[in-house]
Amino acid sequence: METSSALSLKSCPWIGFERIGKKPNGSLRLSTEERSLQKLNLRDLKSRSGVSIQSRPVASKISCSYEKAAAPAVESESSYTSVDEALILKRKARDVLPYLNGRCIYLVGMMGSGKTTVGKILSEALGYSFFDSDKLVEQAVGGTTVSQIFKQYSEAFFRDNESEVLRDLSSMRRLVVATGGGAVIRPINWRYMKQGVTVWLDVPLEALARRIAAVGTDSRPLLHQESGDAYTKAFARLTTLFGERGEAYANADATVSLQYIATKQGHVDVGVITPTAIAIEALIQIENCLNAESNGMCL
């Protein structure tokens, strides 16, 4: 894929879309349309964080997405956070920060597992910036949705752009990245993500199917073509996908099991677990992992 634009961050509180033109040969090019907002490019960002850089073409522009508030998303079945949870989250983030030493956190897991919601909470607690790799691919393709990219181009086209986005993010620091559900299927993506700490959000398939059925499958290109009622087709397809990806998810440095959290809290239904509780468990598992690093058990 031909590219001509440098990856950059914008100083803004929302994700902005860069327009993109389609060349006659089918490749894409990014425009360099001037914006009134101040831009912070990759070189500036890396120089501030002390990371050495090498010039190279990239496939996407990355806009700032540091979230000051972790708004509930459709992936989360429960959004209530107690004062106690908020305090625990803050304290645990403070404990984990020195161990992270600026390394990025990559959240992996099935579609609907809450990676975006939990990622925003983690980034807020840690003072990190947040990125959703699917959104970055959409930006690179002119604001086209993932479903449209699958339909208009192909899944392979999407995966190629996804890998380029992860490559560029891997050279940066102090980020929480929510990856697409299928990012784990390419070994090269693991090479990029292993520059930081990878965390698998492990959610029971039944709970995932309920979440997805509640909002519909239109935005899920790997589910939308299935026949049957929303829950049945979601559960069937998720079962197949997990069979293909389960071992790959298990490569993550840390695992956050919602079933474990529910059991620990005395619940049967994982749907009552708040995103903040999941974020706290993620920090606990990251801390355990980093503590074990010196023994060769992690990273």
Side-chain angles (χ1 to χ4, degrees):
M1 174 175 165
E2 296 181 10
T3 57
S4 59
S5 175
L7 178 152
S8 66
L9 294 172
K10 291 181 182 178
S11 300
C12 59
W14 63 87
I15 294 291
F17 294 106
E18 294 296 327
R19 294 181 181 175
I20 191 166
K22 192 169 187 298
K23 295 184 179 179
N25 63 4
S27 62
L28 302 172
R29 72 177 182 278
L30 297 171
S31 71
T32 55
E33 187 177 43
E34 289 189 21
R35 304 275 185 175
S36 59
L37 297 170
Q38 181 182 10
K39 291 185 179 180
L40 176 63
N41 62 31
L42 179 61
R43 183 175 298 276
D44 292 335
L45 181 69
K46 289 182 176 178
S47 64
R48 291 185 185 185
S49 60
V51 180
S52 60
I53 63 170
Q54 293 181 345
S55 298
R56 66 187 179 196
V58 295
S60 62
K61 277 197 170 185
I62 298 182
S63 304
C64 83
S65 57
Y66 177 68
E67 301 290 341
K68 288 296 184 182
V74 296
E75 291 180 324
S76 172
E77 295 182 15
S78 175
S79 60
Y80 176 76
T81 301
S82 69
V83 174
D84 286 345
E85 279 188 344
L87 290 174
I88 294 171
L89 176 70
K90 182 177 179 179
R91 291 168 182 164
K92 183 52 63 177
R94 182 184 59 201
D95 293 342
V96 171
L97 267 173
Y99 293 99
L100 279 170
N101 194 29
R103 279 178 285 195
C104 298
I105 296 172
Y106 295 87
L107 300 179
V108 301
M110 294 284 284
M111 63 180 79
S113 60
K115 299 183 293 291
T116 296
T117 302
V118 174
K120 289 178 180 180
I121 295 173
L122 285 172
S123 67
E124 173 74 11
L126 293 167
Y128 273 31
S129 295
F130 172 78
F131 288 108
D132 182 316
S133 65
D134 280 355
K135 295 298 182 184
L136 296 179
V137 174
E138 290 176 346
Q139 285 179 236
V141 192
T144 305
T145 66
V146 172
S147 293
Q148 291 171 326
I149 294 171
F150 271 61
K151 183 177 180 180
Q152 184 175 354
Y153 300 104
S154 67
E155 181 177 358
F157 177 87
F158 173 84
R159 297 298 174 199
D160 289 342
N161 280 270
E162 179 178 59
S163 292
E164 292 185 17
V165 163
L166 291 174
R167 178 198 65 189
D168 297 320
L169 291 173
S170 72
S171 64
M172 301 165 70
R173 291 170 63 82
R174 298 180 62 83
L175 306 178
V176 176
V177 180
T179 67
V184 297
I185 64 178
R186 287 194 172 186
I188 187 63
N189 292 344
W190 281 106
R191 195 178 86 182
Y192 300 142
M193 294 189 292
K194 286 292 187 174
Q195 300 300 311
V197 182
T198 51
V199 181
W200 173 26
L201 300 188
D202 182 14
V203 184
L205 298 184
E206 296 87 351
L208 292 178
R210 287 198 303 269
R211 293 179 182 181
I212 293 171
V215 297
T217 58
D218 289 358
S219 63
R220 309 289 183 179
L222 295 181
L223 297 180
H224 188 48
Q225 302 303 319
E226 300 291 326
S227 60
D229 67 274
Y231 175 83
T232 300
K233 68 179 182 180
F235 182 76
R237 185 59 174 147
L238 288 170
T239 300
T240 299
L241 288 173
F242 187 78
E244 298 169 354
R245 301 172 180 175
E247 290 186 6
Y249 289 135
N251 287 327
D253 300 310
T255 298
V256 175
S257 167
L258 265 67
Q259 192 62 65
Y260 171 76
I261 299 173
T263 300
K264 185 167 61 173
Q265 294 183 349
H267 302 306
V268 175
D269 182 8
V270 300
V272 303
I273 302 171
T274 66
T276 299
I278 299 171
I280 291 169
E281 183 65 23
L283 290 173
I284 291 172
Q285 296 305 321
I286 290 171
E287 183 178 34
N288 291 341
C289 174
L290 297 177
N291 279 332
E293 184 178 0
S294 60
N295 297 322
M297 298 172 60
C298 181
L299 302 182

